[in-house]
Amino acid sequence: MTIWMPMLDPAMPRYRALADAIRLDIASGRLPAGTRLPPQRRLADALGVTVGTITRGYAEAERRGLVTSRVGSGTYINGLVSAQRVSAEGFGHVFRVGAACGEPPDAGVSWEASLESIDLTMSLPPPHPARQQGMADALVAISQSPAALQHCVDYQNEFGRDNQRQLLANWMGELGVPVVAEELMLTQGGQNGITLALSALMAPGEALVAGALTYPGLISASAERGLKLLRIPLDEEGMDIEALARLCRQQVPRMVYVMAEQNNPGGAQLSHARREALVALARQYDFWILEDGVQYLPPEECGMQLYQLAPERTLYLFSTSKLLAGGLRLGVLRAPVALLPRLGATLRSHSWMVAPLLVETVCTWLTSGNAAPLIAWQMEEVRARQRLAHSVLNEWSLAARPSSFDLWLELPEGQRSQAMVESLAIRGIHVTSAEPFCVGNEPPPQALRLCLSAAASRETLTHALEIVRELLLAPPALRCTTL
Ligand SMILES: Cc1ncc(COP(=O)(O)O)c(C=O)c1O
């Protein structure tokens, strides 16, 4: 009879590698809930290790809540531990992982009981029960308001209702993004704002400029539109505007995409001098600026927005995704008023309008007064997570704005990001290398992006960071894979 044969990571102590293999095989479905693991002696013989190693590995898996051993009967896989039981203590932010099914290892067990890996690949606002609650309250309020329900069942025009645009303009102003309602149109998130701007203002084959490392959604939208995407080097002051000036002398781009407050990835902020130089170039060569402000930072960490320096040629992207909820898909595009008919026609041809229910949900949430404390909590939380990451990884080269969701970790000499990404994944920690952010085909830097805000809690994040630290101290061996 064949027995379950785990793949053990040779770089780890055997017993921990065994516990990790159990976790990975549960996650992949190879070990469904209720499966009996092989008797210890049989597995030890099959793997060529001592029985003691297997005993320790099973005990480690049990400590993590992956398995339960029953005296005289064997060791069994627990049910998927996936539900996040969230304490309802308002803004106290206590998250615990509870067991959803199967044999619960223990009520209120720590993060270690989770079979879920820790995914730090997505730039998400930190989880908090107030997020779900805010949405629930807004939906209940809508369901009880005949006027709001009427708005939600009706079509509306492509720019949204005037009072909604005014409310969003007021909110953006409070967040340090001063805009006037007449310059705004609603989009289905920041990504849709990008595609609208590219579709409305650029023809296939035209040149679009971005930093050498940029938001992957821009790269894919540009490819889809058949644009020529050109890279400009970045340094700690953001895009190299002198390099852009040299490019303009040879080839004038139609548009320059820039994340002035914090480049995603890496967090570089465009200095004021470069903002002025960029605006001067845009006026000299007559190109559009697409300023992406979706990765929100509070005003004290920001410079003067480009749309304020060059309102006549700058489109500014804003979204509720990083402040309220990504699933809402509500963005705001600020553009010179003269461009709005063109942008509106493009939105109409794509989808007529943003779903009125989404707009109504956001506006009701904002007027409820629940959004401001959530955002204030979030800002504190992301700053605390940055401090935490900087203290755990203080020996390495790190870059981030103080209130950024993400941390950019440059690997020390000789380490490779792909090997790190893979070794971290074996340990259940998922991060991103520089590869997806690369414009053009220059080699990517050996660096990792860690989305600190995506972790379920600071405890979870600490665990993930400790593993990153362990691997930085003892990096995976680089294997020779070709001649
Ligand atoms: C820089 C940047 N722009 C745009 C977006 C897309 O935002 P949305 O989720 O609102 O479509 C993201 C999402 O991560 C982003 O990081």
Side-chain angles (χ1 to χ4, degrees), residues 123 188-192 194 215 257 259 264 292 294-295 319 321-322 329:
S123 203
Q188 304 184 58
Q191 182 64 30
N192 180 226
I194 293 175
Y215 168 56
Y257 169 84
M259 291 167 274
N264 176 14
D292 190 334
V294 169
Q295 292 279 348
S319 172
S321 297
K322 312 296 174 188
R329 311 309 305 138

Side-chain angles (χ1 to χ4, degrees), residues 280-292:
L281 267 189
R283 288 188 172 135
Q284 182 183 351
Y285 289 100
D286 193 22
F287 56 74
W288 299 110
I289 299 173
L290 181 57
E291 180 180 20
D292 190 334

Side-chain angles (χ1 to χ4, degrees), residues 259-393:
M259 291 167 274
E261 306 310 344
Q262 54 170 338
N263 198 67
N264 176 14
Q269 187 169 72
L270 198 65
S271 65
H272 189 74
R274 288 195 187 180
R275 290 178 202 224
E276 289 191 327
L278 172 59
V279 164
L281 267 189
R283 288 188 172 135
Q284 182 183 351
Y285 289 100
D286 193 22
F287 56 74
W288 299 110
I289 299 173
L290 181 57
E291 180 180 20
D292 190 334
V294 169
Q295 292 279 348
Y296 174 78
L297 285 181
E300 60 277 14
E301 288 177 36
C302 292
M304 170 79 88
Q305 289 100 342
L306 293 163
Y307 76 83
Q308 300 209 59
L309 293 171
E312 80 290 358
R313 61 184 59 252
T314 307
L315 291 87
Y316 182 83
L317 297 160
F318 185 81
S319 172
T320 53
S321 297
K322 312 296 174 188
L323 290 164
L324 297 177
L328 281 169
R329 311 309 305 138
L330 185 71
V332 180
L333 179 61
R334 179 269 162 208
V337 172
L339 277 188
L340 288 181
R342 229 196 295 180
L343 290 161
T346 308
L347 178 62
R348 266 204 314 279
S349 76
H350 288 183
S351 62
W352 278 109
M353 71 198 78
V354 177
L357 176 61
L358 301 181
V359 191
E360 197 69 41
T361 306
V362 169
C363 291
T364 308
W365 192 343
L366 293 179
T367 38
S368 73
N370 291 337
L374 173 62
I375 294 169
W377 168 82
Q378 171 170 319
M379 290 300 139
E380 281 305 313
E381 179 63 18
V382 291
R383 281 193 281 268
R385 290 180 185 214
Q386 284 291 348
R387 288 194 297 273
L388 174 66
H390 278 76
S391 77
V392 176
L393 303 176

Side-chain angles (χ1 to χ4, degrees), residues 175-211:
L175 292 171
V177 186
V179 284
V180 289
E182 291 68 30
E183 297 170 336
L184 304 184
M185 67 179 286
L186 309 183
T187 67
Q188 304 184 58
Q191 182 64 30
N192 180 226
I194 293 175
T195 56
L196 285 177
L198 300 189
S199 301
L201 302 180
M202 295 193 68
E206 286 188 325
L208 168 67
V209 161

